[in-house]
Amino acid sequence: MERLMSAAQMKQCDCDTICRLGIPSVVLMERAAFSAAQEIRDAEFDLTDVLVICGSGNNGGDGFAIARILNESGVKVETAFVGKESSMSQETSLQRKICENCGIKNVSNFMEREYTTIVDAIFGIGLSRPVTGTCAEVIGWINAQSAKVAAVDIPSGICADTGKVLGTAVKADMTVTFACRKPGHILYPGTEYCGRVIRKNIGILPERLGAGEPELFTYTKSDLGRIAPRTPYSNKGTYGKVLLIAGSSGMSGAACLSAMASYRCGCGLVRVFTTECNRVMIQTYLPEAIVTPYREDTFPEQQLADALAWADVTGIGPGLGTGTVSGEILEYVLRNFKGPLVVDADGLNLLARSRILQDEPGLLAGGGSEQRKPVIVTPHIGEMMRLMCASKESVLENIVESAEQFAGKYKVICALKDARTIVSDGHRTYLNTSGNSGMATAGSGDVLTGVICGLLAQGNEPFEAATLGVYLHGLAGDAACAGYGAYGMIARDIAFSVGEVLRDIQAVNITAGAQKDM
């Protein structure tokens, strides 16, 4: 698990390191500059002529120190100051003076010159206003150059919390950040401006802010070890029973994909509750699934009650349709099923069309019942717009905040699907980094529903099942892309690849365990 930090959290952590531990700010600046200079040298950039462009804040101080350290290693380097003298921090003023004492030239006519490498140290992570005036002109000039660009902490003009471009922003080939990555390094469009992001430890340790789970985090492949383990002495019942209420006339594929994904991630039994017209198709495509068909024109109360009593976990929505009977099924499930519940696709569209969110918002949280496990909702941006009665612009304005607010208001776990999917329970928030553009294909979301349900059935805690499910789904998408390419892959490739990813992780875990026993 990798902790991420907002600009405010990073500032607090920085202050804690300086004030409580007593490490001077200038010492941290020296460490940051040394690590950044080392990465710039190691990146194999052409260092024939280097320009470091510095602002007036501490990011500029990092820049001046980087220039000096590069100069000490024999690199021809110049600096340019584009900030306000009156706003210059004490540390930045000191670092500029040291550069002058070392004979490093500070130039004002740099836009008339050509350089092989440019270091962007204009703004740090604290920028919150649009870039205008001289700084905007300088950024435009940087982006027009053929030189390689290295950004210090974050490319100037990118909001560290949202990844938004604040007017204009530097397009870097590499970004060296300190202590933790920030959301702006991961979220679009910021991630496209960062290039390769390298995180360096300079003595600011976020864990000193307090124990417990980080509020904002992402995963690496080692985190797949969090998935509930399989034991030699077990049977299909050990790994849980998933009920998928999915599929309607002409939409059998959604049910097939969800059911396949649940099985591929290790679930023991999957029952598909679907309309009669889908029975043959599902049994042909996935004979391992139990199929419980119902008539599309009649509310199947007793069949539904029996299926819910059988299930450990329920997923509802993929290809379900938005007719009257489908709406009655959703409401019955919300009122009667007390186990973990995943609501996706048409389940969300039905929810948005109903009066439940307005008149009975507590129903999603079990009506206040302690028995109800958290509901997991998995909307894409369009579905989120309908759920929130909001415009696309307002949802995307701060996608992290949108997920957090919805989760907090309705006491659910919200997996807001986008190029960077966000999962939040209103307190903890996960930013996903796996996946690719090839996953923008019909049925991909149905696969995610199946994966999350499968992980829930195997005993994973709901929030962790949602976050791990999103991450595993993205890794499976990456595996499918490696095999078929972003243009050629389809949703079933993602479902098949779920098993491949888990097989590879299992092999690594078995090898590690064997080495540990030796």
Side-chain angles (χ1 to χ4, degrees), residues 27 127 133 142 248 375 385 444:
V27 172
L127 183 69
I142 292 173
S248 57
V375 171
M385 290 162 54
S444 179

Side-chain angles (χ1 to χ4, degrees), residues 261-279:
S262 285
Y263 270 131
R264 288 290 180 183
C265 71
C267 174
L269 285 164
V270 178
R271 180 188 296 269
V272 181
F273 192 84
T274 190
T275 54
E276 174 63 39
C277 62
N278 291 329
R279 179 177 59 81

Side-chain angles (χ1 to χ4, degrees), residues 220-229 460 464 468 502 505 509:
T220 61
K221 283 189 177 180
S222 63
D223 288 296
L224 290 180
R226 295 171 177 269
I227 293 175
N460 290 93
E464 196 159 69
L468 287 170
L502 291 176
I505 293 298
N509 290 341

Side-chain angles (χ1 to χ4, degrees), residues 28 71 153 166 178 186 217-218 243 275 279 377 399 517:
L28 296 177
N71 179 70
D153 219 357
L166 299 173
F178 311 113
I186 294 173
F217 66 99
T218 190
L243 173 67
T275 54
R279 179 177 59 81
V377 296
I399 189 171
D517 292 338

Side-chain angles (χ1 to χ4, degrees), residues 230 234-243 259 261-271 288-290 310 312-313 450 453-459:
R230 298 178 78 84
S234 58
N235 56 63
K236 59 182 179 289
T238 307
Y239 302 112
K241 296 176 288 187
V242 168
L243 173 67
S262 285
Y263 270 131
R264 288 290 180 183
C265 71
C267 174
L269 285 164
V270 178
R271 180 188 296 269
E288 296 88 347
I290 304 166
W310 171 89
D312 296 316
V313 176
C453 286
L455 294 179
L456 285 166
Q458 294 174 76

